[in-house]
Amino acid sequence: MDKILEAVMLSQHPTSVKHSLVRHILEAAKKPLDSQQCWAMFELSTKLILLGDTNFKKDVGKEVLEAFAQNHTAEFESFFNAKFILKLVQDGYGTLSIRSVGILEYIHLGLKYIQDNPSADEVFHVLQIELLRIVCEKPGSKLCASISKLLVEFPRCIPSGKFQVVFCQQLVRSIGQFQFGSEEEDEIVEFLDQVNKVSGLLQRIWRTRTAAIIPSLRELFTIISSEGSEGPSNALATVVQYVPLELMDGVIRNLTNDDSITDKELMTALTNMVDWLSWPLARNIDKWIIGLLKGLAAVKKFSILIEVTLSKIEQVFSRLFYPIVRAGALDVLKYMLLSFQHSPEAFHVLVSDIPKLVVSLSKEESNSGTSCLQQLSELVHCMIFRFSGFPDLYEPVIEALKDFPIPNEEKIKHLLSQNAWTSQKNALASLCPRIATKSDTGRVGLANLGNTCYMNSVIQALFMASDFRHAVMLLKESDSQSLMMKLQWLFAFLEHSQRPAISPSSFLKASSPPWFNPGAQQDCSEYLKYLLDRLHEEEKTGKRISHRLKCTCNESHIEDQVPGKTLIERMFGGKLVTKIHCRCCRNVSFREEAFTDLSLAFPPPSKALQGSGSSYDYNISMEITGSDNLTSHIKPQHKISKSPIKQKQTKSKEPSVRVVPFEILSSHAKERKEDPLYSRIMRDDSSYSFSSMPKNDFAMATGEKACNSASSRSVSDLINYFLSPEILSGDNRYYCDKCTSLQEAEKVVELTGGPHYLILTLLRFSFDLITMRRKKILDNVSVPLVLKLPIRITAEKDEQIINAEKQVCQLRNWKHFAEAATYLSITYDLCCVVVHSGISSESGHYYCYGRECIDTNDGIGPRVPLEAESRANDQWYLYNDTRVSFSSFESVSNVTNYFPKDTAYVLFYRQRGARHTCLDGEHILASVRLHGEAALSKELMEAISKDNIQYLQEEEKEARKRSNSTPPATTPIWWRRFDDDDNGGPSGSCGPAAGGGSDLGSFGRLIF
């Protein structure tokens, strides 16, 4: 039968006759045949398919093969075996090349009839290896399309395991080699179809094996970042369109932060990606290009952005003439122009071509053209608004767009601000993208040396306490104050260094408490207390030694008394009196003590007040009786609460003495009318207003919304709780010296001296007896911008009472102390807030909000309204280790609302008009109150100048590396230890911003 078919093919009969004879042969295939006859027909049909010189012979070969394979399955399985397939792909067939598309099409045809047979696994295994080998040789688009077609229909031929990843990588590399130069429409359509088949195979593999996506992208970047004579094929655009957009941010973030990738490679890759906009119908290309542009802007690689924008923006603009690629090109053009705000050069390159495009789009009369015209008009007006002053250049453009609406100024500003490059003003001057530049705020950060954010936040808060900072800067060098001198150097470098951040390693070593474990997270409040105590004792000791030496030199017998207060006492020192009233004998004991901070505990939930206003009853009545039946009474200014706890303490038949609440100025309606705040228009509670008057009568908190929630607290609540009477009973009873036994008593705390800087620590950390672990109170506490503290004016008689022997007074003295009570309300302005982020004191992160808080007047003349005073210097900064950024009081107020684990922990308030309200008669030195630059010592200025010069040299060195396209061995150093010796080793280093971890997201280092 094979001889008959061969004779028919060689005969000169008409084609119709040949068709008739072939049909008889196909009918004979249904009859039983021996193996030899079947093999002969398989061999002949294979020859016709692969070597046939006409389409008729090839078609006849396919028909015969299919007919005999269907009817003689066992014989075909024996013929179409793994050995035969291997010989075809390795040696070819006759004159047919081993890389001929015909061979793959023949294999594709035969696989249909053996895929369900036992021998199919061996054939598929051979094809997995051989197809991978073919793809590694970078075949053309036609052969790759044939392979893709085969694998899509027979996925068992796709290489498995690690070879599947290699297969995807090599397929991407093959696509990168596709080139096509024909202008024939049919050939173009065929080429596009071939490319889509290949990229479609990648999509199919990625759906079943997502682990192959990242290696494929790595290979893609290698291709597009390499320079070649022809450049990679734009067909690679079809690869990117199938990458899930969820991966884009992580891919770009890792790519732009990888130090092993040079700027030249990034520039080449971005340039080639912009070329992809020419590829028709590819999806998401614009999103990847814009994403990479934003990623480069985020890491301040402005030189790449500038060069690519100027070299490619005309090409992007030209794509707007073609509807098939217009949408993506328009999005990229908009971002390029709106982000290129430092110079009109990019926009001016296009100005002359804009009228031509407007004419072309108007003639098109399509939805795509109309939409493009509207967006183009908006874009052009944004650019003209940004770069005004070129009327002759812009006149033709304005004329061309006269029929389109002009966007309002608010929208233009929004678009410009939304797309601006990050910190471009500072970085564009030198165009050194790998060199970290000083923050736009002009402030210097502190390097995290390994869980040292607790120290950094405290130092940055003290630095923002401007009066204290200037006082420290003006100190003369002293051997007896080594720690204070180190703080002076640290403050000086924070104020004058050109580095974006410095390393406080020397100060950490000198100031760290001995019980702190290096590298472990610590409590910033504990560190602050220790630091202030160290600085105080150091200065106190130095003064004592100096005083004794002076007395020795003068040979005098002056009493050994150290004159004056220390700087810590003048800045942070306050006084309070603790009075304990024995309920049995009615005696009252006094104890006056100094403090540098007030630790404010959270009241138990049972103390919460339902509704607005204060959370507690601070109008406690305390009873006083004695043998002579003398009583005294001060009328309360508020109604007595019906709290069951407070009622128990009061007897209706006995007079009472009122304890002054935290805020007393707003107690009477008459006083409210006189206060300018009450005459202002009250805004709706849903709006955020600095001028809103809080409903809490016990605290004035300008800029704070009144809190109506029973679960919400304010700083005023905690202070009032601190100042409210405490009943000492049960296991906490008081030992009365007169009764010589434990008795129930009432303890009251009153402030008698207001510090220049009031430090409030919110006691958020407690010990859980159930879990035996420290836990954090995550309650949101609203922080007022302005506080008023009641300070008791201590008269001369009061001093005698307090200083009485054993600090115990009799009833007559207590009566005088109550009747003569005079209180002065001192105003404090919020200047710093240290925030703890986390759920435990042993973990988490600290950062600091701060502002320069100064008086708007010196207390002379009429009083300035609180809002005006608080807004005079309302620029807030966020200090987060090395990072310093602009912030606002609104951010301070809402930080816990947005981030529940981020809570205010330590607050710094500055006394307003301290020179005129200082109770002890001491004034802050005028030189300390100057808010210009303090005059530094010659040695310190020389050290700062020397380090700044070294930093500029480091910048220049890194810039040269960039110009030579040499990847740095390590990440460039941003800072240097300011206290290193001249040859003291390398620059300082920084730990992770939050004491550990990475900010590269879940991708880690997997991509690039």
Side-chain angles (χ1 to χ4, degrees), residues 625-643:
T625 60
S627 57
D628 54 0
N629 201 30
L630 293 174
T631 61
S632 65
H633 178 66
I634 297 180
K635 293 182 179 180
Q637 298 180 7
H638 300 278
K639 293 182 180 180
I640 302 297
S641 169
K642 295 183 179 181
S643 169

Side-chain angles (χ1 to χ4, degrees), residues 900-920:
K901 295 180 181 179
D902 292 26
T903 53
Y905 184 39
V906 180
L907 313 177
F908 284 67
Y909 282 89
R910 179 186 179 275
Q911 187 180 143
R912 186 182 297 175
R915 190 190 321 191
H916 307 284
T917 59
C918 189
L919 299 179
D920 57 10

Side-chain angles (χ1 to χ4, degrees), residues 775-795:
K775 66 177 183 179
K776 179 180 177 182
I777 301 173
L778 294 172
D779 292 6
N780 188 6
V781 177
S782 59
V783 180
L785 191 62
V786 179
L787 288 179
K788 282 181 175 290
L789 277 184
I791 305 297
R792 183 186 183 102
I793 302 292
T794 306

Side-chain angles (χ1 to χ4, degrees), residues 540-551:
K540 187 177 178 181
T541 302
K543 284 186 174 183
R544 185 180 296 113
I545 294 173
S546 176
H547 183 69
R548 288 180 178 177
L549 290 175
K550 181 184 291 188
C551 293

Side-chain angles (χ1 to χ4, degrees), residues 550-569:
K550 181 184 291 188
C551 293
T552 303
C553 294
N554 295 334
E555 298 181 355
S556 60
H557 300 284
I558 303 175
E559 184 181 356
D560 189 13
Q561 181 178 359
V562 180
K565 292 184 176 182
T566 66
L567 177 60
I568 299 302
E569 287 178 307

Side-chain angles (χ1 to χ4, degrees), residues 18 97 131 244 276 360 416 475 542 647 725 883 923 935 938 987:
K18 292 181 180 181
S97 169
L131 292 179
W276 293 351
S360 176
L416 290 172
L475 291 175
Q647 284 180 342
R883 178 180 173 82
H923 300 323
K938 182 179 179 182
S987 303

Side-chain angles (χ1 to χ4, degrees), residues 421-580:
W421 287 338
T422 305
S423 306
Q424 62 181 11
K425 290 183 179 178
N426 282 354
L428 287 175
S430 59
L431 294 179
C432 299
R434 290 292 178 97
I435 305 296
T437 55
K438 203 170 184 179
S439 165
D440 278 346
T441 63
R443 306 278 171 160
V444 179
L446 287 173
N448 191 310
L449 304 175
N451 283 327
T452 58
C453 56
Y454 69 91
M455 179 191 72
N456 290 350
S457 60
V458 166
I459 292 174
Q460 288 160 335
L462 291 173
F463 179 80
M464 292 303 291
S466 50
D467 293 335
F468 175 68
R469 178 179 77 241
H470 284 273
V472 171
M473 302 270 274
L474 287 168
L475 291 175
K476 294 182 179 179
E477 187 172 357
S478 172
D479 294 335
S480 63
Q481 292 183 264
S482 60
L483 185 58
M484 186 68 83
M485 291 300 101
K486 286 185 179 294
L487 183 62
Q488 183 188 67
W489 276 60
L490 183 54
F491 279 179
F493 271 81
L494 285 174
E495 185 151 342
H496 297 285
S497 178
Q498 293 299 312
R499 296 179 181 275
I502 59 177
S503 171
S505 56
S506 177
F507 191 80
L508 172 65
K509 185 177 180 181
S511 65
S512 181
W515 60 88
F516 277 16
N517 294 323
Q521 182 63 282
Q522 306 293 345
D523 188 331
C524 79
S525 175
E526 183 180 4
Y527 173 78
L528 175 60
K529 290 181 176 67
Y530 176 81
L531 175 62
L532 295 181
D533 186 61
R534 275 277 309 277
L535 294 172
H536 166 70
E537 291 298 330
E538 190 181 72
E539 183 179 355
K540 187 177 178 181
T541 302
K543 284 186 174 183
R544 185 180 296 113
I545 294 173
S546 176
H547 183 69
R548 288 180 178 177
L549 290 175
K550 181 184 291 188
C551 293
T552 303
C553 294
N554 295 334
E555 298 181 355
S556 60
H557 300 284
I558 303 175
E559 184 181 356
D560 189 13
Q561 181 178 359
V562 180
K565 292 184 176 182
T566 66
L567 177 60
I568 299 302
E569 287 178 307
R570 296 199 306 273
M571 289 292 172
F572 304 103
K575 292 180 181 180
L576 58 83
V577 170
T578 302
K579 300 179 294 185
I580 302 180

Side-chain angles (χ1 to χ4, degrees), residues 272-292:
N272 287 323
M273 287 179 67
V274 173
D275 291 339
W276 293 351
L277 292 171
S278 303
W279 191 263
L281 302 179
R283 303 186 305 274
N284 300 330
I285 302 303
D286 56 320
K287 294 181 176 62
W288 280 91
I289 295 173
I290 294 172
L292 183 53

